[in-house]
Amino acid sequence: MATTNDLKNGMVLKLDGGELWSVVEFQHVKPGKGPAFVRTKIKHVKSGKIVDKTFNAGMKVETATVDKRDMQFSYKDGEDYVFMDTESYEMLHVSPAVLGDAAKFLLDNGQAMLAMHESEVLYVELPVTVEIVVAHTDPGLQGDRSTGGNKPATLETGAEIKVPLFITTGEKIKVDTRTGDYLGRA
C-alpha cells in the first residue's frame, strides 16, 4: 500500500477490483479553497486505455509488484512466442494477444523487456529502435513525388512500413518500434 503522495510515473496500481493501471502522469493540486488532491493520467496495463482519475491527497492506494526482466526472443511455437531469460535460461511462452504490435518488429534473438505480475506476462516492450532488413520494396523512380517521397516496404519480419524512395531491397534500416516510422539507414 502507498499513499497518493508517493505516486511516481511508471508505478503500477491495483484499482477497481484488482485491475492493473500504470501511472502515466500525475500532478499534486492545492487549490486556494478546499482540500488538496492528486490529478493523474493512468493507463490500463492490458488494454492500453488511458483515463484521467482524481484522488484525494493522502488517500491510500494499492500498488502492484511488477517484475521487469530483459529477455531474448528465441522462436515461435505454434501461435505462441517463446522468450528466454538471459540470466536463468528459463523459457517463457507469450501469446500474440499480449505481444500485440511488437510482433511486427521482433527479430530472432532480439532483446525485449517483459513485465510480469504474479507470473503472468502483462506486456512486452521492445527497444525504441531496431535495425531491420528490407525484404522487398519497389524501385523508386526519379521524379515520382505523388506519394510525398515515400513508398511501401516489407521488412524481414513481414511488417509493412513507408520508406523514402532511395531505399532498396536488402538494405538495413532503423525503425521506431513504437510508431513503425522509418528513422534512417543503419
Side-chain angles (χ1 to χ4, degrees), residues 127-132 161-164 166-167 172-186:
V128 176
T129 62
V130 290
E131 292 184 0
I132 197 161
I161 66 166
K162 295 280 187 189
V163 296
F166 57 82
I167 297 296
K172 195 175 233 188
I173 60 171
K174 282 186 184 175
V175 178
D176 187 326
T177 57
R178 300 165 299 183
T179 60
D181 292 339
Y182 165 84
L183 295 175
R185 287 180 166 149

Side-chain angles (χ1 to χ4, degrees), residues 102-120:
K104 295 192 290 190
F105 305 108
L106 193 60
L107 296 165
D108 289 341
N109 300 322
Q111 295 297 315
M113 193 271 305
L114 275 68
M116 302 174 67
H117 174 67
E118 295 173 357
S119 74
E120 177 189 359

Side-chain angles (χ1 to χ4, degrees), residues 32-54:
K33 198 173 194 179
F37 59 91
V38 179
R39 186 179 294 137
T40 63
K41 263 190 186 168
I42 54 177
K43 176 180 174 183
H44 193 268
V45 171
K46 289 189 177 175
S47 70
K49 178 180 165 189
I50 295 178
V51 297
D52 293 323
K53 189 162 178 74
T54 304

